[in-house]
Amino acid sequence: MVYRFRFGFLVFLFSALLALSFVSDSVARPEFAAMEDKECIFCHLDPAGGGPRNAVGQVYEDNYFEFPEDFDPEAIMEEAEEVRQRLTTAVNIRTAYIKTAHVDPEGRARATCTSCHSAVDSFLLMQGELTVNAQASDKLRLTLSNNMGSTLNMFATVDAIPKHLYVKVGQFRIPFGLKQRDHNILVHQGYNLGSHQRDVGVEVGGTYGKVFYNAAIVNGNRSAGQAPDTNQHKGMAATAGSTLGPLRGGVSFLLDRDRDLDREMTAGAFLTAALKNLTLEGEFNLGGSYGDDESIGFSDDAITSKGYYVGAKYRVMPELMLSGRYGLFDPDRAVKGDGSQRVTLAAQYIFMENGSLELFYWLNIANDDRDPTSTDRQLEGIDQLILMSHFWF
């Protein structure tokens, strides 16, 4: 009864804040490509999106995610080309204070960004990432990023046909579903697709009109902080979708072979809708494991796991954004009570040109069907409050 009251009150509080936000006289726009009706490369160095921004994207960010009046992106890019440095860098630093709803002083378990159980409240450095981009030629760019001693990205990108076809070779994030900065999304964690995880291989992709596409052949460990190419996974991934006005959606498919020589399939569908200051998003994924003598299918018996998340982001004013997300992941549909659920509420306030404060509240929903004798890692309804500072240069 206490849990239902607490959950209902939090949902009511967040809904009330969101409703009040609609009366704001804000003119800022959401940050999604669908809102500006542009390809990712319009604002980012990486044609697949994400990571450091180009000269146009930097203006967009500095102006609180909207373009100034009479903004001429072609003039900005021409000016940037004339004075372009062969080497550019970006630094991201995040420090967090994590407080759990129940602290166990005797256990002394240290709180982490993925902790689910009782822990000691603590400060920790969540991100200390340096990214270097070297423009070797008009069509060749080299990218290297290192986060607190662990190499994340290390790849070369060739713009074979500008906008229509790029080729990426090296260690990179698998192109699957919606690109998210948060690696704590349950379904992404469950399928080893978190924002901090990378693989080794070759990726091709691009856009044609309103259609975007990419495909990759990978052969690495898809983990963070480990040496690449340990051959834990071998396979291929592909994504295709389209942008139709404020809507941007698509489907993704990943097929690989793990160390046990089983073939693992993950398929997903995603959709975003950008409506002035409000952005809605969602992704649904399902997966299965198959032996060499089994055909890959999508029947009810073949699908062994599933998960999804839905969320909303609302920019109250240029400096303030509120967001909320509900996520679920069921690792084995044949096992009762092993599913995890989480509600995440967040607020981000940009208090200076290169700095922000971010507040997260995790409501880890306890599974009433959980087997108390099970050793499986499950969320036990222990909440967390995370206060994070973020600086970028």
Side-chain angles (χ1 to χ4, degrees):
M1 182 63 69
V2 174
Y3 158 73
R4 290 192 178 95
F5 172 78
R6 182 183 60 180
F7 178 67
F9 175 77
L10 287 172
V11 172
F12 170 80
L13 179 61
F14 183 76
S15 300
L17 288 173
L18 192 59
L20 289 173
S21 301
F22 276 96
V23 303
S24 168
D25 192 26
S26 172
V27 294
R29 301 172 184 173
E31 59 271 22
F32 289 91
M35 189 63 191
E36 301 298 341
D37 196 22
K38 299 294 184 182
E39 297 87 0
C40 297
I41 199 172
F42 188 74
C43 286
H44 290 272
L45 293 174
D46 189 344
R53 295 175 174 85
N54 58 25
V56 172
Q58 194 60 54
V59 172
Y60 190 65
E61 179 183 29
D62 293 343
N63 202 52
Y64 299 109
F65 303 101
E66 69 173 349
F67 289 117
E69 294 183 6
D70 303 323
F71 177 66
D72 186 353
E74 293 185 1
I76 292 292
M77 292 304 292
E78 289 178 2
E79 180 181 351
E81 281 293 319
E82 293 175 359
V83 298
R84 182 184 66 185
Q85 296 180 351
R86 288 293 178 178
L87 196 66
T88 59
T89 60
V91 177
N92 276 276
I93 300 174
R94 292 179 188 265
T95 301
Y97 175 71
I98 298 181
K99 180 176 180 57
T100 59
H102 176 67
V103 175
D104 179 10
E106 296 180 0
R108 308 303 297 174
R110 180 173 177 267
T112 67
C113 56
T114 58
S115 60
C116 308
H117 305 283
S118 301
V120 176
D121 300 339
S122 64
F123 283 98
L124 70 150
L125 183 65
M126 295 188 67
Q127 183 181 24
E129 183 176 351
L130 170 65
T131 301
V132 178
N133 285 280
Q135 195 72 36
S137 67
D138 291 340
K139 291 191 174 184
L140 175 62
R141 183 174 60 259
L142 306 176
T143 300
L144 171 65
S145 66
N146 187 282
N147 185 43
M148 296 185 292
S150 299
T151 300
L152 287 180
N153 298 303
M154 190 190 311
F155 58 83
T157 304
V158 179
D159 292 325
I161 305 176
K163 293 186 178 180
H164 300 315
L165 181 65
Y166 68 85
V167 180
K168 184 185 295 184
V169 182
Q171 179 173 305
F172 50 83
R173 182 177 171 185
I174 288 183
F176 187 98
L178 290 176
K179 263 194 171 180
Q180 297 281 9
R181 298 179 183 178
D182 186 359
H183 62 268
N184 297 306
I185 297 176
L186 293 178
V187 63
H188 284 184
Q189 279 184 316
Y191 288 125
N192 259 351
L193 296 170
S195 62
H196 63 316
Q197 295 172 316
R198 300 296 188 268
D199 212 328
V200 178
V202 179
E203 175 186 338
V204 297
T207 61
Y208 187 83
K210 300 296 184 181
V211 177
F212 58 90
Y213 43 83
N214 56 52
I217 298 175
V218 293
N219 177 20
N221 64 353
R222 203 186 309 161
S223 299
Q226 299 180 18
D229 198 22
T230 57
N231 294 327
Q232 288 182 341
H233 296 85
K234 299 180 180 181
M236 55 81 66
T239 295
S242 179
T243 301
L244 301 174
L247 301 178
R248 181 180 177 89
V251 294
S252 293
F253 183 81
L254 169 64
L255 179 65
D256 61 5
R257 186 183 296 273
D258 62 16
R259 287 178 296 180
D260 296 328
L261 300 182
D262 286 332
R263 292 177 298 166
E264 297 182 344
M265 179 273 295
T266 306
F270 56 90
L271 179 68
T272 64
L275 308 169
K276 198 176 180 180
N277 295 347
L278 177 66
T279 301
L280 305 175
E281 62 185 15
E283 180 176 335
F284 177 80
N285 297 329
L286 48 82
S289 181
Y290 310 86
D292 286 335
D293 57 343
E294 298 177 303
S295 60
I296 297 174
F298 292 89
S299 66
D300 190 61
D301 293 336
I303 302 303
T304 58
S305 59
K306 65 178 181 179
Y308 66 89
Y309 67 88
V310 293
K313 301 176 182 177
Y314 184 70
R315 194 167 293 279
V316 181
M317 58 183 70
E319 302 88 351
L320 176 63
M321 184 172 69
L322 302 177
S323 62
R325 181 177 64 236
Y326 169 78
L328 175 146
F329 180 66
D330 184 356
D332 191 340
R333 297 174 61 203
V335 177
K336 184 178 181 180
D338 66 337
S340 301
Q341 301 177 76
R342 176 184 294 154
V343 174
T344 301
L345 306 180
Q348 179 191 46
Y349 179 68
I350 302 175
F351 65 91
M352 60 182 293
E353 182 178 355
N354 299 102
S356 69
L357 292 175
E358 302 169 12
L359 181 65
F360 295 86
Y361 181 76
W362 282 7
L363 178 60
N364 294 320
I365 303 175
N367 194 325
D368 295 335
D369 296 328
R370 179 175 182 266
D371 181 1
T373 63
S374 174
T375 59
D376 292 340
R377 178 178 180 274
Q378 302 167 29
L379 305 183
E380 295 183 331
I382 297 175
D383 304 342
Q384 285 185 322
L385 186 67
I386 304 173
L387 176 61
M388 186 183 305
S389 62
H390 181 203
F391 299 94
W392 60 94
F393 306 95

